[in-house]
Every structure is written in structure tokens, then in C-alpha cells.
Amino acid sequence: MNFIYNEPEEKGAYIQLLMILCYAIIGLIIGSVLSLAVILGVYGFDGLGNADLLTGGDATAIAVLKVSQVLTTGCMFILPPLMLAWTEKRKVSNFYGFIKPKISFLFLVFMIMLCSMPIMEWVGLANQKMILPDFLKPVENWMRNKEDEAMKMTILLLKTNNVFDFLINILVIALIPAIGEELIFRGGVQRSFTRMFKNPHVAIWISAFIFSAIHLQFFGFFPRLFLGAAFGYIYLWTGSLWYAMLAHFFKQCLCS
């Protein structure tokens, strides 16, 4: 007698989104605890009450920041979509469409990202000139402070003294964020919104909006929104998350 094995049906899109959110919150907590453990291990309790230790720019502080960045990205962005696939009892490669990339498509993705840079630069400059009404000045000041903090952190993370530091930067600033953010935003969130709305374009733009908003860099919101949409369409057209990850990686390298 022959038996036909049928994979269990996936949970609903709303349930999947809720699961991703819950896993992301758990991941954020785990990543934060691990980061605090690293800070305590290096600086002791002085590191918890003295932010200047981490922003001083010395080699130890930069190393701690990079380790913290990896832990946070891994736990908050990479772990949740993996947990979703495991919860659904699916292979990660099949669940998110990790189809083997083709060299010709890789070159095309690279050219798309390269040619889009002038447009993104123009959109970014226009976004930076954004001025809110007078009654929203406190909000604008808060947004600009967040932008300055993010820029200061980026400058610290990009600081290099040798080739090894450069390669570590590629890993921390480009590769790991490309893998993690595409896994959760395109693989997890966009996939679930597509199932929910039955319209890939709506799913792409909502996911891109969330992708941009979660960075809390409001004067770079629109270029990141359009980039998120570009990654989403690359995922839609190719059916493989590899190309979206590579597009994200190329973008990070070109901008850094």
C-alpha cells in the first residue's frame, strides 16, 4: 500500500506575523542581555553607567560595539524567521526560496544597485532638507538627535586601522545585516503580507515601510523605503531570497 505524505498546512498569515513579532521581541531581549554581558565582561559595572566608554573611539570600545551589533542583529533579525520556518516544520531553504543564484542574475542585481545610487543620493538629499511645522519642532529635534546618534555610531563602526578591520567591517556592516534584514523583512514579513493581502505589491510596500521605519533614521526614511521596495521586487521577480540579500549587501558596500 502506498501512502502519500502531505505537509501540514501553514498557519494563517496573521498568526505568522504575530509569531515573527514575538520571536523578534524575544530575540531583542536575548541580544540585549548578551550585549550587556559583553560590556560587563570588558568594562565591569562602569560600562553600564558610562556611555562615553563605548563612544570613545578606542579599539576596545569599537570591538565591543561590533560584537554587540552582531549579537543584536543575529538575535533580532536572523533568529525570528528561522524560528518561524522551524515552527511551521519547513526547511528554511524551501520556506524562503533559497534558489541557487545564477551569475548573470547576480551581475544584473549589482548593476541595478549601482545605477540606483545616484537616484538614492538625490532622494536622500531631499529627505535631509525636510522641515516640520513649528508646532512639531520638538519632534524634529528628537528626529535629528536620533540621526546624529546613528551617524556617530556608524562612523565609529567604520573606523579601520588595517585590512583585518576592513574585513570585519564588511562582515558586521554589510554581510550580517543583509542576511538578517532580508530574512525577516522580505522572507518573513513580506511573505506573510503577500499571503494576507493576495497582492505582492501591497506586501512589498508595507514591508518596505516597516523596514525603513524600524531604523529610526527619519532623514533617511525615503531612500531606505525605496531600497526596501527594490529588494522586495527583486525577491518577487527572482523567487529567491539570495538575490535580495546580495542586493542589500552590494548597497551596504557601495554606501560604506
Side-chain angles (χ1 to χ4, degrees):
M1 182 179 295
N2 295 325
F3 293 93
I4 299 176
Y5 173 74
N6 293 319
E7 288 188 339
E9 187 176 348
E10 286 186 36
K11 296 176 178 61
Y14 291 98
I15 298 297
Q16 286 188 346
L17 284 171
L18 182 60
M19 290 169 63
I20 292 173
L21 177 61
C22 291
Y23 288 145
I25 292 172
I26 293 171
L28 175 61
I29 294 171
I30 294 173
S32 299
V33 170
L34 292 176
S35 295
L36 287 174
V38 172
I39 294 172
L40 284 171
V42 175
Y43 294 110
F45 286 98
D46 292 338
L48 299 181
N50 189 355
D52 292 337
L53 287 176
L54 296 177
T55 58
D58 60 280
T60 301
I62 293 173
V64 170
L65 287 174
K66 289 179 180 179
V67 171
S68 178
Q69 179 85 358
V70 170
L71 290 171
T72 303
T73 301
C75 293
M76 187 176 177
F77 293 146
I78 297 178
L79 187 60
L82 295 181
M83 290 297 297
L84 177 63
W86 293 333
T87 302
E88 294 286 4
K89 298 181 179 179
R90 301 288 204 279
K91 287 185 177 180
V92 173
S93 57
N94 294 335
F95 196 67
Y96 295 118
F98 281 100
I99 302 171
K100 184 178 180 180
K102 298 179 181 178
I103 298 297
S104 57
F105 279 13
L106 294 179
F107 178 74
L108 179 60
V109 167
F110 175 75
M111 291 306 299
I112 289 173
M113 300 313 299
L114 183 63
C115 294
S116 70
M117 294 312 296
I119 300 173
M120 292 300 104
E121 184 72 18
W122 177 79
V123 174
L125 289 173
N127 196 168
Q128 289 172 12
K129 295 177 182 178
M130 179 179 65
I131 299 176
L132 298 181
D134 290 340
F135 71 93
L136 290 177
K137 279 298 178 184
V139 176
E140 181 179 337
N141 292 334
W142 175 77
M143 291 164 60
R144 291 196 182 279
N145 288 335
K146 295 298 293 184
E147 199 80 12
D148 292 341
E149 290 174 6
M151 180 59 68
K152 185 177 181 180
M153 187 67 67
T154 300
I155 291 173
L156 283 174
L157 291 174
L158 288 175
K159 186 177 180 181
T160 58
N161 296 314
N162 49 54
V163 175
F164 178 75
D165 287 346
F166 175 75
L167 294 176
I168 292 296
N169 281 354
I170 292 294
L171 177 69
V172 174
I173 304 296
L175 183 59
I176 293 179
I179 293 172
E181 292 180 8
E182 292 313 300
L183 256 175
I184 193 167
F185 290 110
R186 254 54 69 181
V189 175
Q190 181 177 313
R191 184 181 183 277
S192 295
F193 276 132
T194 300
R195 294 181 62 218
M196 183 185 301
F197 295 110
K198 312 300 181 183
N199 186 322
H201 305 290
V202 173
I204 286 170
W205 285 100
I206 293 178
S207 302
F209 180 89
I210 298 172
F211 165 72
S212 186
I214 203 169
H215 283 81
L216 294 178
Q217 291 178 263
F218 305 98
F219 292 93
F221 178 85
F222 288 105
R224 189 172 284 109
L225 171 69
F226 293 134
L227 280 170
F231 301 150
Y233 279 110
I234 288 172
Y235 183 33
L236 172 66
W237 291 332
T238 63
S240 175
L241 199 56
W242 283 125
Y243 296 109
M245 288 180 174
L246 287 165
H248 196 140
F249 176 75
F250 291 150
K251 173 261 175 185
Q252 293 290 91
C253 291
L254 291 170
C255 290
S256 301

